[in-house]
Amino acid sequence: GGIKTARAYAKRLGAGLAIVDKRRVSPEKAEVMNILGEVAGKNAILVDDLIATGGSLLEAAHALKKAGVKKIYAAVVHGVLSGDAVKDIDKSIIEELIITDTIPLDDNKKHPKIKVLSVAPLLAEAIKRIHKEESISCLFD
């Protein structure tokens, strides 16, 4: 399902698409195998559903930088940010990490590189449409 979602993001943004092919070595560690697509000289947005320790996201960012990407941003739905994730993001080449407020961000995890977006407007619109017996599928395309 990840590639289908990535294609939808690329289409909505009018952007190209590259896939970072990774293999999970352990629950905390992923290894980048290949980058599918042309990335050299471009800016990249890494999209993922969850960031816990940040290991696989930072590994992907490193691989993209090595492949010639200029700037790297990340957009992640659920920001768990466990362990040293915030410290590691601070030291990383990621320009900005955008997460949603589906998981509250503790004050000790707030950082200038981390931007939190609220899902409240989306949920409110979905509730309103359900109440009016209208379709909500267009909200998630």
Side-chain angles (χ1 to χ4, degrees):
I3 293 175
K4 183 179 176 184
T5 302
R7 277 195 193 110
Y9 277 115
K11 182 179 179 184
R12 179 163 266 177
L13 294 170
L17 174 65
I19 305 296
V20 177
D21 175 33
K22 64 185 180 189
R23 175 181 59 148
R24 191 145 297 278
V25 180
S26 72
E28 300 84 29
K29 179 99 170 110
E31 180 180 277
V32 171
M33 303 300 287
N34 296 297
I35 297 173
L36 311 169
E38 297 298 319
V39 297
K42 298 179 181 178
N43 295 325
I45 303 171
L46 285 165
V47 178
D48 213 338
D49 59 345
L50 182 134
I51 179 170
T53 63
S56 64
L57 188 77
L58 297 176
E59 180 77 21
H62 178 72
L64 287 170
K65 194 66 168 178
K66 190 174 171 185
V69 169
K70 294 190 301 187
K71 290 185 179 182
I72 302 167
Y73 300 86
V76 179
V77 178
H78 308 292
V80 177
L81 301 174
S82 58
D84 289 334
V86 174
K87 237 186 269 183
D88 293 342
I89 289 162
D90 175 56
K91 296 183 293 185
S92 77
I93 55 177
I94 291 177
E95 301 281 329
E96 183 175 45
L97 168 65
I98 300 169
I99 60 174
T100 69
D101 62 354
T102 58
I103 297 173
L105 187 66
D106 294 337
D107 286 341
N108 64 331
K109 293 181 181 179
K110 291 184 177 172
H111 188 278
K113 275 190 173 184
I114 300 172
K115 180 178 182 180
V116 181
L117 299 180
S118 175
V119 296
L122 177 64
L123 294 177
E125 182 64 24
I127 291 167
K128 181 180 91 176
R129 285 172 179 253
I130 290 168
H131 181 72
K132 291 182 171 185
E133 297 181 3
E134 297 174 353
S135 173
I136 63 167
S137 61
C138 64
L139 299 175
F140 305 101
D141 288 339

